[in-house]
Amino acid sequence: QVQLVESGGELVQAGDSLRLSCAASGRTFSTDNMAWFRQTPGKEREFVAGISRWINILPRYRDSVKGRFTISRDNAKKTVYLQMNNLKPEDTAVYFCAKDKGSSRAIVTTTEALYDFWGQGTQVTVSS
């Protein structure tokens, strides 16, 4: 069993920065691909960023956050981070951390159904 706990969400102004954290417990963390998704009311959850367990595979980002968001991980702390810079009102959402169910997958997948454990989410609100 895996538990994921997100933190770091808050109300900020446009242009501000935030760093979200996702602490994992349970099984081995270093062998898992991890990702951040987000969701706003009435919309489907969408992929934001993902990071492979392999250091030589580049992270993936949705186009709207490229150049502003950076995903990283600290395997010793079993934590994945999402550094969000130059935040925009359209970034307002509940952000979820998720673990890829594929033990052999190297490339980060953007498909929500391929993630099997999720955190409870952390709210990020960006005011204009």
Side-chain angles (χ1 to χ4, degrees):
Q1 194 74 2
V2 174
Q3 284 191 320
L4 302 174
V5 179
E6 302 97 334
S7 61
E10 62 180 88
L11 170 63
V12 297
Q13 293 188 332
D16 285 352
S17 297
L18 273 180
R19 189 176 80 158
L20 305 183
S21 299
C22 171
S25 62
R27 49 162 284 170
T28 304
F29 173 80
S30 62
T31 58
D32 298 318
N33 291 355
M34 301 293 295
W36 288 94
F37 286 74
R38 67 187 181 188
Q39 188 173 27
T40 55
K43 293 187 177 181
E44 293 186 354
R45 198 150 46 182
E46 62 183 23
F47 175 85
V48 176
I51 187 165
S52 174
R53 59 194 176 126
W54 299 110
I55 194 170
N56 60 328
I57 295 177
L58 294 177
R60 290 183 73 174
Y61 299 93
R62 70 179 300 104
D63 287 344
S64 61
V65 309
K66 285 180 180 177
R68 299 189 298 122
F69 290 12
T70 303
I71 188 171
S72 62
R73 64 191 299 160
D74 185 333
N75 289 336
K77 295 182 178 179
K78 291 189 176 182
T79 301
V80 61
Y81 303 98
L82 185 66
Q83 177 67 43
M84 306 186 294
N85 298 330
N86 189 22
L87 282 160
K88 303 177 180 181
E90 51 264 42
D91 295 319
T92 295
V94 178
Y95 283 72
F96 299 90
C97 172
K99 183 193 80 65
D100 187 338
K101 68 172 64 173
S103 61
S104 61
R105 191 173 6 260
I107 302 297
V108 172
T109 178
T110 62
T111 304
E112 180 182 349
L114 295 180
Y115 290 84
D116 56 357
F117 287 96
W118 296 80
Q120 81 290 347
T122 185
Q123 176 71 48
V124 173
T125 303
V126 185
S127 64
S128 57

